[in-house]
Amino acid sequence: MSNESLFARAQQFIPAGVNSPVRAFRAVGGAPRFIARAKGARMWDAEGRAYLDYIGSWGAMVVGHAHPEVVAAVCAAAGNGFSFGAPTEAEIEMAELLCKLLPGMDLVRLVSSGTEATMTALRLARGHTGRNRVVKFEGCYHGHADSLLVKAGSGALTFGQPSSSGVPPQVAADTLVLDYNDVAQLERCFAENGKDIAAVIVEPVVGNMNLVAPKPEFLRGMRELCTKHGAVLILDEVMTGFRVGLTGAQGRYGIQPDLTTLGKVIGGGMPVGAFGGRREIMQKIAPLGPVYQAGTLSGNPVAVAAGLATLRLVQAPGFYEKLGERTQQLTAGLTAAAKKHGVVFSAQAIGGMFGIYFRASAPQSFAEVMQCDKEAFNRFFHAMLERGVHFAPSAYEAGFVSAAHSSEDIAETVSAADAVFAAMKK
Ligand code: HOZ
């Protein structure tokens, strides 16, 4: 079966042929690769072609695909039944581990996706504070709940506008959208709206407008302002949790959130999300408190088994040092190859996440991300794909390295990029 024929067939029954928009390759053109299987750092498409994978299920596959210990845990759990709608011991083990490892977590509840986690964290922040407004930052993506599909209004400090059809304007109006990394603007926003702001939600390292690193004063200032004005600071660590380090971005940057949202790595590739944080706030969730949340598949035993096995592996001594080194090897190698051929390019790595930019330096804001040369990215993406390297199919996504990527895999990627950069300059 060819990827093209599968894509044509898929489009007859699935909108755009995919179950999540970026996968449709609309940003880069062409047919997506339909993946038949994956192992370690590689995946194989329906035509039997192998690719070094730098998507890693958008960060989830931090130990690589089909790790034998994760596969064994999933098989064992599946043999005991798929779903009970009743509590299990494995959920306690997961909760204990998350509360032990993450500085900001006293109590945690498991859900089935990052979107569910952020949606519920917002509801909880609103229920806890009795306020309605939330602050988010342009270019940060927190899943597809109505209040979060919002873009900046006419001025950054005015009401937000829906960024998706179907989101009621009155819902969007309670979301203020500010510029990432601009603490002065956040300060002005609090000065004008402080008594109405329930929460500030942020990706501590952004992974959804390519990778954008936080300025230290941005996260620090945000913490101080939330404390001063009684707003709940929600760190959305769906991508960064167990990806930029064992204690998440909160541990890496020393920022104590009030609530944290998680997903991806904690499910090891299966559908798991979580929200948790300060006891006082988490005690507002039903049935302890008045904020409602529930789910049949929350804490699903097979998904939790995959997550727990993954979390056991990432606790091995030196895991994140090695992951960080490999990711640095990749970004340094790509940067050197581009420089050699005079291609305007930059790259950076944070833990096992990376960003590649067709721009002279790493962007620090949404506006700077928009200045990247998208056409150059698209040429690079397709030429690398042809050479068996699969980056995310959009210039506005972060990349991910796993512990299964060997030094030789990275060298192979850099060598392919060297040839691609050389051709791009001709
Ligand atoms: N929302 C993800 C990109 N930031 C894409 C998810 C997917 O296609 O699996």
Side-chain angles (χ1 to χ4, degrees), residues 269-340:
M270 299 279 262
V272 180
F275 63 95
R278 274 171 46 205
R279 185 173 301 277
E280 180 204 358
I281 303 177
M282 288 300 291
Q283 282 175 335
K284 302 267 168 59
I285 204 82
L288 287 182
V291 179
Y292 197 70
Q293 172 273 332
T296 297
L297 293 174
S298 294
N300 173 269
V302 184
V304 167
L308 271 177
T310 301
L311 291 179
R312 274 194 284 274
L313 290 164
V314 302
Q315 291 178 79
F319 180 91
Y320 285 100
E321 286 74 9
K322 188 171 149 208
L323 182 68
E325 276 164 26
R326 287 274 188 280
T327 317
Q328 291 283 352
Q329 183 192 344
L330 176 69
T331 52
L334 293 177
T335 307
K339 191 169 172 201
K340 180 171 135 196

Side-chain angles (χ1 to χ4, degrees), residues 105 109 111 113-129 131 133-134 142 145 147-148 198-202 231-238 257-262 274-277 281-282 284-285 291-293:
M105 204 161 273
R109 185 165 275 178
V111 289
S113 71
T115 289
E116 251 190 281
T118 53
M119 176 187 81
T120 316
L122 279 195
R123 185 181 306 138
L124 186 52
R126 285 171 161 151
H128 173 70
T129 57
R131 304 171 179 177
R133 293 193 135 180
V134 296
H142 305 286
S147 319
L148 292 163
V200 175
I201 184 165
V202 67
V232 174
L233 175 58
I234 305 171
L235 287 193
D236 181 351
E237 296 231 46
V238 168
D258 300 304
L259 291 177
T260 300
T261 54
L262 295 166
F275 63 95
I281 303 177
M282 288 300 291
K284 302 267 168 59
I285 204 82
V291 179
Y292 197 70
Q293 172 273 332

